[in-house]
């Protein structure tokens, strides 16, 4: 289960890193930010925009935290299933070579599955890439390379601007860069 208090604290820490201030706000019992009584230094427009911005950002932050928690829960469940599946493996295998061969085949199968998953488009409704991962995005009929960012969603890798997440439909992991041998040594 996600630790909401920790997530609120991390949200505030990240918000402060971006240069924002909480001096005019407090976190209410309803877990939404509200203006402090002494926030008279802001215009009504600034108050409305500030509250809208901070609460929208908070909602997005918590949505991402819940998605990560769902992923963690799924991996824990998969781990339990694997533990059940292999709890008697040691007693069922007659020697270490047989055990090693079985595990080696599974590792190879997982590697192949991982490589295959890197070559397909993944719907953003199904799963999002890891924070900081650079990926290829499908935005309508166009594609662009961007980096997954916890606060803004995706940041364009070229102009470093936030992308509109409502237009992004799919993503794909980038291939590994070419090896030095494939690039040549540059002496030609």
């Amino acid at each position: 289960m996600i630790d909401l208090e920790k997530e609120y604290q991390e949200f505030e820490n990240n918000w402060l890193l971006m240069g924002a201030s909480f001096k005019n706000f407090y976190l209410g019992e309803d877990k939404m930010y509200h203006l402090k009584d002494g926030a008279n230094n802001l215009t009504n427009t600034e108050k409305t925009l500030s509250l809208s911005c901070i609460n929208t950002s908070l909602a997005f932050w918590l949505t991402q935290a819940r998605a990560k928690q769902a992923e963690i829960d799924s991996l824990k469940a998969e781990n339990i299933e694997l533990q059940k599946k292999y709890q008697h493996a040691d007693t069922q295998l007659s020697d270490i070579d047989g055990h090693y061969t079985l595990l080696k085949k599974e590792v190879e199968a997982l590697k192949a599955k991982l490589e295959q998953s890197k070559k397909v488009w993944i719907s953003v409704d199904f799963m999002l890439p890891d924070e900081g991962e650079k990926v290829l995005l499908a935005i309508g009929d166009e594609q662009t390379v961007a980096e997954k960012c916890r606060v803004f969603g995706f940041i364009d890798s070229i102009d470093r601007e936030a992308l509109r997440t409502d237009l992004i439909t799919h993503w794909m992991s980038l291939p590994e860069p070419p090896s030095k041998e494939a690039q040549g040594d540059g002496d030609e």
Side-chain angles (χ1 to χ4, degrees):
M1 196 66 167
I2 64 171
D3 181 351
L4 285 177
E5 293 305 317
K6 179 182 172 192
E7 289 301 326
Y8 283 110
Q9 186 61 49
E10 288 211 20
F11 172 77
E12 288 185 2
N13 289 342
N14 278 286
W15 196 259
L16 292 171
L17 284 173
M18 294 186 312
S21 169
F22 284 94
K23 68 180 181 181
N24 294 315
F25 304 99
Y26 70 93
L27 186 62
E29 289 183 20
D30 60 356
K31 299 304 181 187
M32 298 286 287
Y33 283 94
H34 301 276
L35 284 170
K36 291 181 179 175
D37 290 336
N40 296 328
N41 59 326
L42 300 174
T43 67
N44 285 340
T45 301
E46 288 173 327
K47 291 176 183 178
T48 302
L49 289 174
S50 296
L51 282 174
S52 176
C53 182
I54 196 170
N55 283 317
T56 301
S57 296
L58 175 63
F60 181 76
W61 182 279
L62 293 176
T63 299
Q64 293 296 315
R66 287 182 182 105
K68 287 290 184 188
Q69 184 62 48
E71 182 179 354
I72 290 169
D73 293 344
S74 173
L75 289 172
K76 284 181 179 178
E78 184 178 343
N79 185 30
I80 290 170
E81 287 302 314
L82 287 172
Q83 287 176 353
K84 287 179 185 176
K85 182 177 179 181
Y86 294 109
Q87 68 184 349
H88 301 294
D90 289 338
T91 58
Q92 294 172 351
L93 295 173
S94 60
D95 60 4
I96 293 175
D97 287 336
H99 191 222
Y100 174 78
T101 302
L102 177 66
L103 291 175
K104 187 175 178 181
K105 286 180 183 178
E106 286 195 35
V107 167
E108 292 303 318
L110 288 172
K111 282 181 181 178
K113 187 176 179 182
L114 177 62
E115 281 304 310
Q116 184 62 28
S117 71
K118 290 182 178 181
K119 299 175 185 172
V120 297
W121 287 105
I122 301 169
S123 170
V124 295
D125 294 331
F126 175 69
M127 183 173 74
L128 292 172
D130 291 332
E131 182 180 341
E133 182 179 1
K134 286 189 178 180
V135 295
L136 183 62
L137 295 178
I139 304 173
D141 293 339
E142 297 184 16
Q143 299 171 3
T144 189
V145 176
E147 182 177 327
K148 177 69 175 87
C149 173
R150 188 169 187 176
V151 175
F152 296 108
F154 290 95
I155 303 293
D156 189 282
S157 289
I158 296 173
D159 60 23
R160 303 302 296 164
E161 290 190 17
L163 298 173
R164 285 188 50 192
T165 56
D166 61 319
L167 300 177
I168 301 169
T169 60
H170 293 78
W171 65 276
M172 178 188 300
S173 294
L174 294 175
E176 293 295 322
S179 65
K180 289 187 178 192
E181 294 81 25
Q183 293 177 4
D185 55 25
D187 292 337
E188 297 176 27

